[in-house]
Amino acid sequence: QVQLVESGGGLAQVGGSLTLSCTASGSGISVEAMGWYRQAPGQERELVALITTNNYKKYSDSVKGRFTISRDNAANTVTLQMNSLKSDDTGIYYCLADVETDTQGLKHYWGRGIQVTASS
């Protein structure tokens, strides 16, 4: 069984900073891409940032220059540093990991979601 455990987030003022972390665990896992999606009230889930095993990064245009994604391959952990927060960044953030196990091929796994709120 693959599990994604998310931590961080919370409440910050507009212009402030928050950090999200996510760790994948399970027996015999091999983790490929990891990243974060978010969903604001009344909107669809959207990509925030992704990072590959080789540290190639992809950001949505709305967060470029403000958010930084990184990972620790040995720990199967991805971190999202969020700076210069805007009210539009508010939403539930979901960790994504593409994982292959010794019994299953590569597939998506999702965290349960963690709240991020930026208020004026």
Side-chain angles (χ1 to χ4, degrees):
Q1 182 179 353
V2 177
Q3 290 184 309
L4 302 182
V5 179
E6 301 152 322
S7 62
L11 175 65
Q13 293 186 344
V14 169
S17 298
L18 290 169
T19 302
L20 293 171
S21 293
C22 175
T23 298
S25 64
S27 298
I29 65 171
S30 179
V31 182
E32 301 294 338
M34 301 186 75
W36 292 93
Y37 286 68
R38 69 187 180 190
Q39 187 167 21
Q43 300 184 9
E44 296 183 347
R45 188 176 300 185
E46 64 176 357
L47 172 70
V48 179
L50 284 171
I51 184 169
T52 69
T53 303
N54 296 325
N55 284 324
Y56 188 85
K57 306 175 182 67
K58 180 179 180 180
Y59 297 95
S60 70
D61 290 339
S62 63
V63 307
K64 286 181 180 177
R66 300 187 299 116
F67 292 9
T68 302
I69 193 166
S70 61
R71 67 187 291 165
D72 183 341
N73 290 336
N76 290 324
T77 297
V78 61
T79 299
L80 185 68
Q81 178 66 45
M82 302 180 290
N83 297 327
S84 302
L85 284 165
K86 302 177 179 179
S87 60
D88 290 345
D89 296 320
T90 295
I92 301 175
Y93 284 64
Y94 299 88
C95 178
L96 168 72
D98 292 336
V99 181
E100 183 177 15
T101 72
D102 53 6
T103 59
Q104 294 181 337
L106 194 68
K107 65 181 294 184
H108 294 329
Y109 292 88
W110 293 93
R112 297 185 63 84
I114 188 166
Q115 181 69 39
V116 169
T117 302
S119 63
S120 300

